[in-house]
Amino acid sequence: MTVEPSAPQQEALWWVQQRSTRKDLYNLTWRMAVGDLDPTVLGRAWQAVVDRHEALRTALVAHDGAVWQEISATAPAVLTELAWPAPAAPAGTDLFDLVATHTHRRPFELGRAPLARLCLVTVGDRHELLLTVHHAVLDGWSVQRVVEELAQAYDVESRRPGGASTAFDSEPVPFLPHARAARTALADGSWQESIDFWVRHLGGGEPVACATVLPDRAPAGRAADDLGSPGAVLRHRLSPAAVDGVRGLTERGGMTPIAGYLAAVHVVLARGGAGARVAVGVAVANRLGERDERCVGYLTNVVVAAGTVHDDDTLDEVVGRARDDFWDGLEHQQVPYAVVHAALPVEARERIGAMPAVLLTYHGHIGGGVRLGDRETELLASPSTGATNDLALGVFEHPDGTTVEVEYDTGRFDAATVLRFLADLDGVLAHGGRADVPVHAIQVASRTAPAYRIASAHRVGPATGSADPPVADGSTVGPVNPVADVVTGLWRRTLRVDEATADSDFFDLGGHSLQVFDLMAEIERHTGAPVDVLEWLDRPTLGRLITLSGPPGTVAETAEMDGPAGDATLRAGTGDRVHLHLIRPAGGADHSIYRELVAALPQSWRITGAPDDDAGTVPALAERYASALLAQPRLPDIIGGWSFGGLVAYAITLRLRQQGVQPPRLLIVDSPPPDGAPANDDEGDLEAFVGVILRSIDAGHLVPPRLRLDDDDVEHGLGVLDALLHGHGSPVPIEVLRHRLTAMVRHWRAMGGYVSTEPVDTPAVLVDAELGHADVEGWTTLLGPGTIVVDVDTDHYAAMKEPSVRDVAAALTKLAESTVEVGASIGDR
């Protein structure tokens, strides 16, 4: 491993990532429409590209007060894949959009290489390739080169099966010499002449102020030093008149198109009210020679391009000044913007800003047209959901036109305001088709001002956390009180409903177990009161939740407390009641999985649920649960569970019998027998977890038939699942998914490590949904005489849902009626 100081611009982005609450601000994703690619060949090609470029094997770490590059000799180039045979998302939902957005938003761990990832997505006969990198290691110019080399490597690998080493047509140009040169220039004063130029240009003479569009609102709830904002992307196809106008301006002025676009932005801002002297940021490639052009790394820089716009100017005159001013600055483009900004006088720093409010990038023809597989790539809209500028404009030229893509701060601007700005820009460029058009003849609808004045008028105070949840009017949930307002608002937001009453049932409104975790965590965060989920499941209504979220003492007054600590009373029952005790399934799932079964059983039955437990083996779980049951005055009449819960219930009865206690009867619902078979024989934990979660909320149609995830990259797998849950309309925080995955893997390991051939000799109800003949035979040798086998015509995840639960409930009732003595006390055992 090579350890070197980072380049100044890398260090700046490292600090931005630490300070901002949005860790995806400097993620750069190219979303490309591609042809049908072979994932195996693509994976080999991607590894060849990562092996070739040190920037793709670079991590950034802080040590001794500095940020360092750690360049590994090798780094795993993981390709993930998701594929559906046909569109599977609900109407109005695009799986490509969901996957792209959530893949882009997943933060990079800057201390772990590679800071790049590749994902192949297929829906029906459409294919997209997502290349996401962190800007601290690659800029847009470098991404273009990486895609070109990926295409070259794919072509070679596809013609040489077996993974022979890919030969490229040139030696790579490393980024490390550039980083060293930048550090040296910063230390020895080599940049001083350029720094002096920018100080004179931006801080002396006629004041220069970056300008912006007047915001629709001031951002709320964000710290003053938080450099990130929520954002969105809009695309605008330039009209034919605007394209012709750019051509006319460049031909008459003898310049590249960037000057025409820059001058058009200046005119819109000036005519909108920002004043005659305006400036915007321009992202420059900062590549001064052939080797720089072949370098893969982060060389891009931002310069401030000032412009003067008077009403009696012609548009050609404005463009000419923009050209001259911009070209004068290009000689000094190598100095990082952060260094320039720090050197400016205080007044100039405020006028220009730590990041220019409006940023322009002229991409030209990069971003598409690379032949990868059987077709050329097409760059699609960026999936970015963050913003570092008010407006960041990117101009992309393609064979059939020009597209302007705008990333904007949604905390400050409405989409209509941004679209109006784009229409104005199009209109100004359209005037370029004629010579000598006076500026005063150009009308714009946008309203603009110097950015520093906007900042002063809309100054935001210290961070106050996230926005408060929607507040209920109180009329539907009883007397108004702060807890009711907060809980009702969170309830409505979680379930996406407009109205709520005290009797509203969480699950009847479409809620599922994953959302329970999210709702409870939000309630605790806003009220400071943890909610006992198990107590709430007894009656999962809004009114009950408000009660349990109230002042200390409320829960104790309303909860039934006659079970062991942590047990849930799912139904209290009446009279000489049968007692059914249910064990949680795998993965920390709550007892809501049994809700329909509880409803189908006789109302007189007492039904409880065991608490979660973090024991790592089935025998350890059985020991703890058996001890808890023996501490009760009476054993349950029946214990059982679905899936992993049924297997643990068998182990509990076995443990009770080993202690000389006649065990309760059993309910085993589609549980794997204790034969030590691995839970995930054909797929990794992440892939299996994605399938389990989606099927558990009736979203099995969203499970990709082809799913390639890396168990070592947990966050990516969770991000994929997060995207699919959004597609189903059931978003769940990553923290909840992470917790469930940890618990699920622990239970899968426990299942795979548990072997028992010892019969428990107690009657049971054995429910077969997907067990198979051999598994049913295995169970019947372990269970006692009188066991009832219920064959339900459904899959594993619907075994505890209607209509299957009616057959299960009928069998359980029959099992209970055959019991000689119900609820025998310990002394009678």
Side-chain angles (χ1 to χ4, degrees), residues 111 126 129 149 204 228 239 269 315 341 389 407 507 523 535 538 562 599 607 641-642 646 708 783 817:
R126 291 174 56 201
L129 189 63
E149 293 186 355
S239 66
L269 292 171
L315 182 57
H341 187 263
N389 311 87
E407 177 188 273
F507 299 100
I523 289 173
E535 293 294 347
D538 179 28
D562 63 343
I607 305 174
W642 170 72
R708 181 200 301 233
L783 304 175
E817 289 172 349

Side-chain angles (χ1 to χ4, degrees), residues 150-225:
L150 179 66
Q152 179 185 344
Y154 183 88
D155 180 61
V156 172
E157 293 290 344
S158 63
R159 290 185 284 106
R160 296 195 308 193
S165 177
T166 300
F168 294 92
D169 56 9
S170 64
E171 290 298 314
V173 176
F175 172 72
L176 190 55
H178 290 269
R180 290 170 177 161
R183 279 292 175 191
T184 300
L186 182 62
D188 68 8
S190 300
W191 280 344
Q192 192 59 50
E193 181 181 348
S194 292
I195 293 173
D196 292 342
F197 166 84
W198 289 115
V199 171
R200 291 193 306 273
H201 185 67
L202 302 175
E206 188 176 359
V208 175
C210 284
T212 189
V213 176
L214 283 171
D216 297 299
R217 62 194 156 272
R222 186 159 62 90
D225 64 347

